[in-house]
Amino acid sequence: MLTQELLMHIHTTFGSKVFVVYASPAINDINELVAIHLDRKLFEHSNFKKASELNGHGRNTYIKAGTFSIACSNPKKIEDFDLIKELEQLTETDVQENNENNRQFIKGFSKKIISLTNENKYFSTSFQKLNETISKVDEYELFHSFLVMRNFRQLTGAQWLIKI
């Protein structure tokens, strides 16, 4: 629930410029997970849900990948969506700029993530400590931005993706 609160803050801050989703492998045990990973089919065997649709719910259950799920607390059926189609739409509308603008977006995005996460009462202290370890490379802004996002991933488990 703590991560959901932070992801919703990111979603409302960036709006249509970012696409915030939960991804979860739809597997039964660790052996199946490893086999699917080695076959490079994890994407096809995962369930994706928009974080905004899970707002206010403590749990989300599903039977298999690519089907609806049930968000719990106040049970609500959430239909599946086509992740690739959503990413292509995001690319078409927001990321059609040249590489310099993408660099600026990445640097600005990481600065906003720092600000948003530092405001969060659950993650701020740990995030600040993780970012202290990368302060030596502040002058390399793009590299620093990637390290900030790595720290964000380590802390929250949230992955990020950029289409350039």
Side-chain angles (χ1 to χ4, degrees), residues 6 13 15 30 35 45-46 54 57 62-64 68 70 72 83 85 92 105-106 129 133 137 142 144-145 148 152:
L6 181 58
T13 299
I30 193 69
H45 288 85
S46 292
L54 297 174
H57 298 285
Y62 52 90
I63 296 172
K64 65 180 189 172
F68 71 91
I70 302 293
C72 302
L83 179 62
K85 182 179 175 184
E92 291 170 11
F105 178 81
I106 291 167
K129 286 180 181 179
T133 65
V137 295
L142 191 57
H144 183 265
S145 296
V148 164
F152 182 78

Side-chain angles (χ1 to χ4, degrees), residues 3-16:
T3 303
Q4 174 66 23
E5 182 182 307
L6 181 58
L7 292 178
M8 284 306 301
H9 195 49
I10 292 167
H11 170 75
T12 56
T13 299
F14 286 95
S16 67

Side-chain angles (χ1 to χ4, degrees), residues 38-49:
L38 292 174
D39 287 342
R40 298 184 171 267
K41 294 186 178 182
L42 190 57
F43 187 87
E44 294 91 347
H45 288 85
S46 292
N47 203 325
F48 302 95
K49 297 297 171 216

Side-chain angles (χ1 to χ4, degrees), residues 86-149:
E86 293 283 341
L87 290 173
E88 286 171 350
Q89 263 185 326
L90 179 67
T91 300
E92 291 170 11
T93 58
D94 293 315
V95 192
Q96 291 182 345
E97 297 133 0
N98 64 34
N99 285 337
E100 186 56 39
N101 288 338
N102 286 333
R103 285 186 189 95
Q104 292 305 110
F105 178 81
I106 291 167
K107 291 188 287 189
F109 182 74
S110 72
K111 287 177 184 174
K112 286 182 183 176
I113 290 296
I114 290 170
S115 175
L116 294 173
T117 308
N118 285 343
E119 293 172 8
N120 185 280
K121 63 183 176 183
Y122 302 105
F123 294 106
S124 62
T125 302
S126 296
F127 193 58
Q128 288 170 11
K129 286 180 181 179
L130 286 171
N131 285 334
E132 284 174 12
T133 65
I134 62 171
S135 63
K136 299 174 231 157
V137 295
D138 281 348
E139 72 246 31
Y140 306 102
E141 290 179 304
L142 191 57
F143 181 55
H144 183 265
S145 296
F146 279 98
L147 293 177
V148 164
M149 295 311 298

